[in-house]
Amino acid sequence: MEKILLGLTGTCRPFLWVIRPSAGSNDREESLATGVPVLGFPQFSDQTTNAKMVEEVWRTGVRARVNEDGTLEAEEIERCLEMVMGGGQRGEEIRRNAKRWKGLTLEAVMEGGSSYNNLNAFLEKIE
């Protein structure tokens, strides 16, 4: 946690740090609907798949890599954040895609959207 904090503060950029809630917590995790680029650090279970989708399919963020010892260094976090938030071509693409996915997700849940319609169709079948 300390290395993550050092990496985040080392960039001198604003950040939102989302941490998986502890067991029994009612907190919700962030989603594509926020339009915010993601820096992922998968540890287990479906997080690896989610990080792959974020980085390679949706292209809305990057995945931090561990060093040879299997630890995440503050410099890697800084590198990833600069890639996502910086002015380079990749960062611009990531931010553009994050904004696009936000629009698509909001469209899908609005009345008449695909998620809205599918949920209603499901509810009608179980009544």
Side-chain angles (χ1 to χ4, degrees), residues 18-122:
V18 179
I19 301 172
R20 180 179 289 270
S22 59
S25 173
N26 290 326
D27 293 340
R28 297 181 189 165
E29 293 185 32
E30 298 296 313
S31 71
L32 283 174
T34 62
V36 177
V38 175
L39 166 55
F41 178 52
Q43 305 252 317
F44 57 89
S45 187
D46 63 338
Q47 294 176 354
T48 301
T49 302
N50 294 341
K52 181 177 179 64
M53 296 296 290
V54 163
E55 185 173 49
E56 297 177 17
V57 177
W58 302 319
R59 301 185 62 79
T60 58
V62 295
R63 181 167 71 175
R65 306 292 193 249
V66 296
N67 64 16
E68 312 81 48
D69 299 333
T71 58
L72 177 63
E73 298 292 337
E75 295 79 17
E76 173 65 0
I77 296 168
E78 286 185 44
R79 182 192 71 78
C80 290
L81 287 173
E82 286 301 325
M83 186 183 309
V84 169
M85 300 302 294
Q89 184 177 6
R90 178 124 187 249
E92 289 174 11
E93 177 192 14
I94 287 169
R95 291 190 301 278
R96 186 174 50 251
N97 286 339
K99 194 177 282 189
R100 180 167 85 51
W101 276 103
K102 177 183 180 178
L104 291 171
T105 56
L106 293 175
E107 188 179 297
V109 298
M110 290 175 51
E111 188 171 347
S114 60
S115 291
Y116 179 91
N117 292 340
N118 288 334
L119 178 60
N120 283 332
F122 173 75

Side-chain angles (χ1 to χ4, degrees), residues 1-17:
M1 295 288 265
E2 184 179 331
K3 288 182 181 182
I4 293 172
L5 180 60
L6 289 172
L8 290 169
T9 57
T11 66
C12 298
R13 295 182 181 272
F15 60 87
L16 171 65
W17 188 355

